[in-house]
Structure formats: structure tokens, C-alpha cells
Amino acid sequence: EAAVTQSPRNKVAVTGGKVTLSCNQTNNHNNMYWYRQDTGHGLRLIHYSYGAGSTEKGDIPDGYKASRPSQENFSLILELATPSQTSVYFCASGETGKQDTQYFGPGTRLLVL
Amino acid sequence: GDSVTQTEGLVTLTEGLPVMLNCTYQSTYSPFLFWYVQHLNEAPKLLLKSFTDNKRPEHQGFHATLHKSSSSFHLQKSSAQLSDSALYYCALSLSSSNTNKVVFGTGTRLQVLP
């Protein structure tokens, strides 16, 4: 079973503050993804990565940056957090095949006050 | 562009009744579809995915058939169980991508009552 972990699991931040969400996978998958989950919107892709050193914009990248320093780690950075970024964030990893499964981490619940 | 539509936000039914959750898609190329399930306070995980041949994928009593003529991949189960209560996402693999990007539908919450 693929193993993807996220930290922190819960975070309260203040408007204008910087937030970093971390993700680690131990399956040597090339691809990693950051999604946010909101009722009525489902899972929406923020950023993704092909491998160490690469980051690509997803469907809703505004207000977010990403960093992939290694095969195992993929971070999501909110430089200036806003209340509209209050959400549940999921990291996922997977291989490059069209038919390949994505494996999700347990999620991070972020509240921006 | 590629997209997935799940028209039902909430489906409520009684234990033992059949389940059908709708999923339709738009895809530029040959589609590959998934169903992911997310139980309360858990991560989404794969439930089943379409095959490239005409086999029907099945898992935990659920099955889905890819109908290219109607662009659908509805999820079905003959008899709902209380433990099936969860959020279900239909997802489409983006055929033009080499990164296994998928686009998810908005999700259908299934509530099974005793």
C-alpha cells in the first residue's frame, strides 16, 4: 500500500501570514500533486510535479507556490494566507501512466482567520 | 476541454436497495475513468478504474461500465450497505497529459440509512 504522509494535520493561521504544508511519500513515485477540497467543488488541483526540482501549475494556482526538493517531498506554500484559502488540502502521489492510481495523504485542515 | 460531471450532490437510500451514482465526461481522446471513495475523515482512495478492453471493473460489490457512446461511467451496486456511506468521486485521466493528471467531478455523497 502506498504511503503518503502530510504535516501538519491541522493548522490555524492568520491573514497575511505564511503557511507551509508538507508532504512526504515513500513509494518512489515520480508525480506528486496538491489538491484542495471544498464542498460543491470537489478536489481541485493546485500544483503538481513530475519529479525533483519540477513544479507545474494546476487549475487553481493563484495564491500558492510549490516546491519539490526531492523525490519524496513536495511542499505547498501560502506566502500571504487569506480566509478564502481555508480548506482541506490533500497531497497525492502516483506514477506517470494514464491508468495509474493516485495515492492520497490524510489531508491537512487549514483555517485562516 | 476535458471534464467530469456528477449531477447528484447527495444520494440517500435505504440499506439493501440498489445504488447508482451518475458520472458523465467529456474527453478529447480515448478516456480512462476512475471512481475514488472517501469515507468520513479519511483520504480518498481508489475504488475502481476502467479497463482498456471491454472488461467491467468490480470491487467491494461495486461495478462500473464505460459507455463511450453515452460518455458515461456510472457506479452501481446491487444492494447498499451502511458501510457504503461515503463521498464518491468520478475522475477522468487527462489524455493529453504524461503526468497522470486527472480531473475530478464535484463528488456525490452517498448516505445509506438503516
Side-chain angles (χ1 to χ4, degrees):
Chain A
E1 182 78 18
V4 180
T5 56
Q6 294 181 231
S7 64
R9 295 293 313 279
N10 293 279
K11 174 74 177 179
V12 179
V14 296
T15 297
K18 182 177 180 179
V19 177
T20 300
L21 307 183
S22 299
C23 177
N24 177 275
Q25 56 103 357
T26 58
N27 305 292
N28 201 33
H29 287 157
N30 288 325
N31 299 335
M32 295 186 75
Y33 311 85
W34 276 107
Y35 296 91
R36 63 177 285 176
Q37 182 181 45
D38 302 285
T39 302
H41 293 280
L43 291 162
R44 292 181 290 175
L45 183 64
I46 306 170
H47 284 288
Y48 62 101
S49 169
Y50 297 94
S54 86
T55 60
E56 302 290 334
K57 293 181 179 179
D59 300 320
I60 53 164
D62 293 346
Y64 303 93
K65 290 171 57 177
S67 173
R68 182 88 181 270
S70 65
Q71 181 81 340
E72 297 79 18
N73 295 293
F74 191 37
S75 298
L76 185 68
I77 304 147
L78 291 66
E79 294 278 5
L80 294 169
T82 69
S84 64
Q85 293 175 313
T86 293
S87 187
V88 180
Y89 292 85
F90 285 97
C91 176
S93 73
E95 286 297 356
T96 55
K98 180 178 174 178
Q99 303 173 31
D100 287 323
T101 302
Q102 290 193 12
Y103 296 90
F104 286 82
T108 294
R109 195 172 294 271
L110 174 64
L111 173 63
V112 182
L113 300 174
Chain B
D2 294 343
S3 65
V4 173
T5 300
Q6 295 181 255
T7 54
E8 309 130 328
L10 173 66
V11 171
T12 301
L13 48 77
T14 303
E15 186 179 18
L17 291 181
V19 178
M20 188 165 97
L21 306 183
N22 293 322
C23 174
T24 56
Y25 65 89
Q26 283 187 301
S27 181
T28 308
Y29 302 102
S30 182
F32 197 85
L33 279 294
F34 304 81
W35 276 100
Y36 283 81
V37 60
Q38 183 182 17
H39 288 93
L40 191 62
N41 296 324
E42 295 184 6
K45 60 183 179 182
L46 180 72
L47 179 61
L48 49 79
K49 56 185 175 181
S50 62
F51 288 108
T52 51
D53 55 22
N54 289 323
K55 292 180 183 175
R56 187 180 78 170
E58 296 191 27
H59 185 64
Q60 296 178 345
F62 286 95
H63 62 269
T65 302
L66 182 61
H67 290 290
K68 294 183 181 180
S69 59
S70 58
S71 298
S72 67
F73 190 58
H74 303 321
L75 183 67
Q76 296 178 275
K77 187 176 185 182
S78 59
S79 176
Q81 298 176 292
L82 294 175
S83 58
D84 294 331
S85 294
L87 181 59
Y88 291 81
Y89 286 108
C90 184
L92 169 70
S93 182
L94 296 185
S95 49
S96 61
S97 167
N98 64 354
T99 61
N100 192 17
K101 274 182 64 178
V102 301
V103 60
F104 286 86
T106 51
T108 297
R109 183 168 297 282
L110 176 64
Q111 185 178 51
V112 181
L113 302 176

